[in-house]
Amino acid sequence: MDKKQLQRFAVIAMVAIVAAGASHIYTRHTMVTAPSAPAESTSMALAGARGAAGAVPGYLVDPGRAAGQILVVKPEDSVQDAVARAQPGDTIQIMPGVYHQTVYIDKDDIALVGVIHGSDWPTFDGEGKRNDAVLYSGNGVRVENLKIVNYKGNAIMGQAGNNFVIRHNRIANSGVYGIFPEFAQNGLIEYNELTGIEDAAIYVGMCDNIEVAHNEVHGNVAGIEIENSRHAIVENNTAYDNAGGILAFITPGLPIKTTFDVVIRNNFVVANNHKNFGAPGSIVSGVPSGTGIIVMAADDVIIENNFIRDNKNAGIIVADHKSFANITPDPEADPNPDRVSVLWNLFDNNGSDPIKEVRALMVAGLTREGPDLVAVGGGSGSCVAAAGTLKALNIGGWGACKRTSSADIATYLLDKPAAPRALTTADRGKLIYSSVCAGCHAYNVRMVGPPTQIIQALYLGNAQGIADYIANPVKKRADFPPMPPQSHLNADLRLAVAQYLLTVAPPKPVPARP
Amino acid sequence: MPRSKHALLVPALAAVLFAAGAAVAADGRSVYLRCVACHGVAAEGVASTGAPPLAGLHAAYLQRQLQSFASGARGAKPGDKYGTSMRSAGAPLLSSDTERAAVASYLSTLKPGVQRTPGRTTANGRNYFNAVCGACHGSGGEGNPALGAPRLAGLPEAYLARQFAAFQSGQRGYQPDDRYGIQMRTITTMLPDAETVRDVIAYAASLRP
């Protein structure tokens, strides 16, 4: 075989492998689902679901739960009214048509399921003026089969809602985050398509036990981001034409300080060369365009069996906090990525036009070839399999992997639904801070909004001022997106979160070493 | 005919409006002539006098500073050499709020100059600038009137360093009703060490207006 044939063979082999992986996963989901399989999804919805399992796996919804009612909503109706009428266990069925609405679900076990007739979808259109399409704080919430376009804040944002399913939605040009569960445990994000998002299209923030599978993300600044989250699998997704494809990050200044046990496998990570259109000065604007996968400070990440091709900066970057633009240290977070395992992946044509920092490493490494894999900054215990088959840069400290695959990690989803987060009145403010505000406000770095320490300095103990601002924010900064109104929180909760925000303490400095 | 009447009226009106506008600007400009000895003819700042560039700073910011010098909310602390000279020699040149407003609005219309010796860019300076300063002064140091945050881009490194130190030491932002000054004093504590302060100031001074 000549080189072309070889490449073609490799591609076919890869597709076969990915397909095999997919069917393996499928069987697993279906098996888990089979015993409970609540019949809430309509057959029309199912048909739209590209053959997805369709029903809700038992680990996400209590199988003993009574089947609820179906509430049908048409475009002229208010979805929020249906939510108000719904009882836990009910399904709100959204008929095709256009909805200029924002929905907030503060009840448990509600399914928001679109009905798709051929090419007619229920479409939520924010018309460039509404902030969020779907917000939820209930547990066991499912959002499925919706088209969401032209929102300014988030398409679907979860606020401490455990056991969620976000499936088969199509999201375009809808703000800073597309699908954004924050501070949640046990959730599934699958079969969604997202494009035109200014930060991360799928952003898993401060979560545990998450599965992100079979999604297609393109034309975003970041495709899929696992941030300050533990036990997450990102598999069988396609990430192309983003500035960065798949990210596993520790962002400094957030209430949760770690990211570990992340498996990134069986994904297509192709030509993520989109111009970075993140807000200037924000962390995401520091993602170098042309990067397939980035691990920043996260630990115990396994990268296996991905097809990583045509990313012009680098296939995979493993970086510490110091090496990343717009990051300032958090003394409570370990800045180094440790124990990253790059197992067998298929690489092709990465690093054709690397950024200057990577070029400098190439010069130091006496190579003219841009990297499939490059490590920058500190970190220990990382390994690479079959190092000879990829163009690696600066991985002198890396060993050979003992682990050969991640097959022993079938899923990080739980056997049964996670319990709701315990909530006493005293820590309501704290819960809202973690599950809402910290999605955009980190303590000491610029995520989407100004850092918490700056808000503290601007308001100087004036909690009511903050509570008033968030009920009805006005635009203040030309180079920041708008702050979405938090009017879904009642006045007491707004004041509680404002009071808590003012007490958030700086990360404790680590005592200086002698 | 109504049409020709209009045709005459429009230029006449425009001339009146223009003259009015010019009067305000000329007023500000002539008031500014009292300041050129220290701040320079084009309000470009004069290194030897320590007087900063004023061209293109926001009118509201300039007016607030002029009032502060006049009232003693700025420049009245012992040891503040430049503040003292502005307060004792500069501020009295302006006799009223009207004059302060006129000169501030005139200066805000001037194009900010580019520093001949701009600061240097380091990753540390950029990271902390974006994490701390950018939230109010803008990621390009352009300033933000909605937040009372002045333009930093185009100001000399030495002046920026001196003002930062003044906020740090309490030579600026010392009056209980100086809300913005107090905010800025709190914010100076957010840079971890002297080296970072130097890097951040150098980065701010490297930004082009």
Side-chain angles (χ1 to χ4, degrees), chain B residues 11-197:
Chain B
L13 242 176
V16 169
L17 285 174
F18 179 78
V24 170
D27 195 14
R29 184 159 19 143
S30 64
V31 174
Y32 178 69
L33 289 177
R34 304 172 204 163
C35 319
V36 297
C38 287
H39 288 275
V41 177
E44 74 279 20
V46 177
S48 60
T49 65
L54 304 172
L57 293 176
H58 307 128
Y61 174 74
L62 287 168
Q63 203 179 336
R64 197 167 69 239
Q65 297 312 308
L66 287 170
Q67 260 144 8
S68 295
F69 280 117
S71 73
R74 185 175 173 187
K77 282 270 165 177
D80 180 1
K81 182 176 132 207
Y82 296 103
T84 308
S85 58
M86 175 62 197
R87 186 165 146 64
S88 56
L93 299 174
L94 304 171
S95 58
S96 66
D97 277 351
T98 325
E99 284 193 342
R100 284 188 277 270
V103 79
S105 105
Y106 164 70
L107 288 167
S108 71
T109 63
L110 301 181
K111 211 168 124 35
V114 176
Q115 285 303 305
R116 241 170 278 141
T117 49
R120 74 210 139 82
T121 308
T122 56
N124 192 45
R126 175 205 57 205
N127 291 352
Y128 274 98
F129 184 89
N130 282 333
V132 179
C133 323
C136 297
H137 292 281
S139 51
E142 66 278 15
N144 186 339
L147 294 161
R151 168 195 297 286
L152 303 178
L155 294 181
E157 189 170 344
Y159 176 73
L160 291 173
R162 205 163 68 227
Q163 296 312 309
F164 193 91
F167 282 117
Q168 243 174 347
S169 69
Q171 277 188 345
R172 235 185 123 171
Y174 49 80
Q175 277 215 341
D177 57 356
D178 181 1
R179 180 168 143 235
Y180 295 116
I182 291 166
Q183 287 174 352
M184 189 57 211
R185 279 187 69 178
T186 317
I187 287 164
T188 57
T189 63
M190 294 173 191
L191 300 183
D193 48 43
E195 190 189 336
T196 303
V197 171

Side-chain angles (χ1 to χ4, degrees), chain A residues 7-24:
Chain A
Q7 271 177 359
R8 207 170 304 139
F9 171 72
V11 171
I12 293 167
M14 184 69 196
V15 171
I17 292 163
V18 171
S23 68
H24 155 78

Side-chain angles (χ1 to χ4, degrees), chain A residues 105-109 136-141 159-162 164:
Chain A
I105 306 173
D106 57 353
K107 297 179 174 173
D108 290 345
D109 298 320
Y136 66 85
S137 59
N139 298 287
V141 167
Q159 307 176 340
N162 292 345
F164 62 86

Side-chain angles (χ1 to χ4, degrees), chain A residues 28-29 32-33 36 56-63 163 186 188 211 411 413-418:
Chain A
R28 181 165 56 73
H29 278 183
V32 176
T33 314
S36 54
V56 181
Y59 45 79
L60 293 164
V61 170
D62 184 352
N163 313 312
N186 206 35
L188 174 63
E211 170 90 18
T411 181
L413 293 171
L414 302 175
D415 297 343
K416 49 183 196 311

